[in-house]
Amino acid sequence: MNYTLHQLMIFLKITETSSITKAAEELHLTQPAVSIQLRNLQDQFEIPLTEVVGRKLIVTDFGWEIAAAAEKIIEEVQGINYKTAAFKGLMSGKLKISVVSTGKYVMPYFLSGFLKQHPEVDLKLDVTNKAKVLESLSTNEVDFALVSKMPETINVEGIELMPNQLCLVGNKDFELSKKLYDEGVFEEITLIYREEGSGTRLYMERYLNEKKVSVRKKIVLTSNEAVKQAVLAGMGCSIMPLIGIKNELKAGSLKIIPVKDLPIETQWNLIYLKGRKFSPVGKLYLDYLEQHKDELIRENFS
């Protein structure tokens, strides 16, 4: 067997993306280069690693076994690199964080300075919906999770980062005929929802239920960015986190619709499993947040 670490890394990315094209994009390689490395790896096994069904790449059962072994090999190699860096006096290791989709507008500002201070630290940042974030936290796949609602079914601790405000938002053509609307406005507009499992949707539905509002028409979209683009296009209005639309508000392409008992006030929390024993990198990051959190909020979100 003469397979290389490079081939194993490429194959692992192919299994993660189920696509040679996507693997090439994420690895910043050409598609032919990825295909060649996959073929060179396959040539060393008599059993197929992948199959093409229709136009879809399928990883075989044997392929998944090889991928699991490759992941362990790569982790061991990374461990050697971390030990080497530590011996030279550099803090190194991997920091794994899962973030709800709206949190992508928040989390980078609390990471940038830390990563500049510790360039040997590797970051894995997964952006997904609330349900998947909590799943990855509960199964110990990540060190931290960023959420705007504390989970009720998982025993966690955390750090409060900053407030999160949810307002009703329309595009530039929405005519503000009142200084303050009551909840009846929701019966006059098309309301755009996030998908099931979204924290923003949970807060929106809770507000509407408390107000006993009957929504006339609704649209469901699967990301905060999709909701924002739909509102910009005039497809309807939505209750959205201000943090994700600050540029559009400044430019005047979106506007806040003032409604009684809005905005909804929530809190961004960086959480972790209670009693978790952190790696040196995880502990160092917690210390960094405690020291710099207020300064970072003033600089980036005031």
Side-chain angles (χ1 to χ4, degrees), residues 123-239:
L123 171 68
K124 181 178 180 182
L125 185 66
D126 182 35
V127 180
T128 183
N129 67 30
K130 178 173 173 284
K132 291 181 180 179
V133 166
L134 296 183
E135 180 184 351
S136 63
L137 184 69
S138 64
T139 55
N140 219 24
E141 295 176 22
V142 296
D143 302 304
F144 302 99
L146 182 70
V147 296
S148 60
K149 182 181 184 300
M150 296 294 279
E152 299 174 356
T153 58
I154 308 174
N155 199 4
V156 298
E157 300 176 285
I159 299 176
E160 288 189 352
L161 291 185
M162 57 181 287
N164 182 37
Q165 293 186 320
L166 307 175
C167 292
L168 182 63
V169 178
N171 78 348
K172 59 183 176 58
D173 296 324
F174 187 94
E175 189 173 336
L176 294 174
S177 58
K178 298 179 182 179
K179 289 185 177 180
L180 183 66
Y181 291 82
D182 60 26
E183 54 269 20
V185 69
F186 291 100
E187 299 177 6
E188 302 170 5
I189 61 175
T190 297
L191 190 59
I192 303 174
Y193 285 65
R194 284 286 306 279
E195 77 284 5
E196 292 281 357
S198 158
T200 299
R201 174 166 175 157
L202 180 67
Y203 282 115
M204 179 192 295
E205 290 181 330
R206 181 180 297 173
Y207 171 85
L208 296 174
N209 289 336
E210 288 176 355
K211 299 297 181 182
K212 296 181 172 56
V213 172
S214 175
V215 177
R216 181 179 66 84
K217 184 178 179 181
K218 71 178 183 180
I219 298 171
V220 179
L221 299 175
T222 57
S223 74
N224 196 68
E225 189 62 29
V227 171
K228 179 166 69 175
Q229 294 304 321
V231 175
L232 283 166
M235 291 174 61
C237 303
S238 186
I239 292 180

Side-chain angles (χ1 to χ4, degrees), residues 18 24 35 37 47 126 159 180 183 268 294:
S18 298
S35 297
Q37 293 301 325
I47 305 171
D126 182 35
I159 299 176
L180 183 66
E183 54 269 20
W268 286 114
D294 294 340

Side-chain angles (χ1 to χ4, degrees), residues 1 4 11 70 73 82 108 155 166 201 261:
M1 293 292 181
T4 66
F11 181 61
I73 292 169
Y82 298 153
N155 199 4
L166 307 175
R201 174 166 175 157
D261 296 328

Side-chain angles (χ1 to χ4, degrees), residues 221 246 273:
L221 299 175
K246 59 181 182 179
L273 291 177

Side-chain angles (χ1 to χ4, degrees), residues 6 14 23 32 64 87 93 104 106 108 113 115 129 150 168 185 201 215-216 228 255 257 261 272 280 292:
H6 184 55
I14 290 171
W64 285 116
F87 191 81
K104 67 177 176 282
V106 176
L115 295 175
N129 67 30
M150 296 294 279
L168 182 63
V185 69
R201 174 166 175 157
V215 177
R216 181 179 66 84
K228 179 166 69 175
K255 62 177 68 171
I257 304 169
D261 296 328
Y272 49 89
H292 299 284

Side-chain angles (χ1 to χ4, degrees), residues 93-141:
K94 180 174 284 189
L95 189 63
K96 294 177 286 186
I97 303 175
S98 189
V99 176
V100 295
S101 57
T102 312
K104 67 177 176 282
Y105 302 112
V106 176
M107 199 68 231
Y109 294 98
F110 292 94
L111 284 166
S112 177
F114 177 78
L115 295 175
K116 286 177 181 177
Q117 288 181 14
H118 306 285
E120 299 297 317
V121 170
D122 291 331
L123 171 68
K124 181 178 180 182
L125 185 66
D126 182 35
V127 180
T128 183
N129 67 30
K130 178 173 173 284
K132 291 181 180 179
V133 166
L134 296 183
E135 180 184 351
S136 63
L137 184 69
S138 64
T139 55
N140 219 24
E141 295 176 22

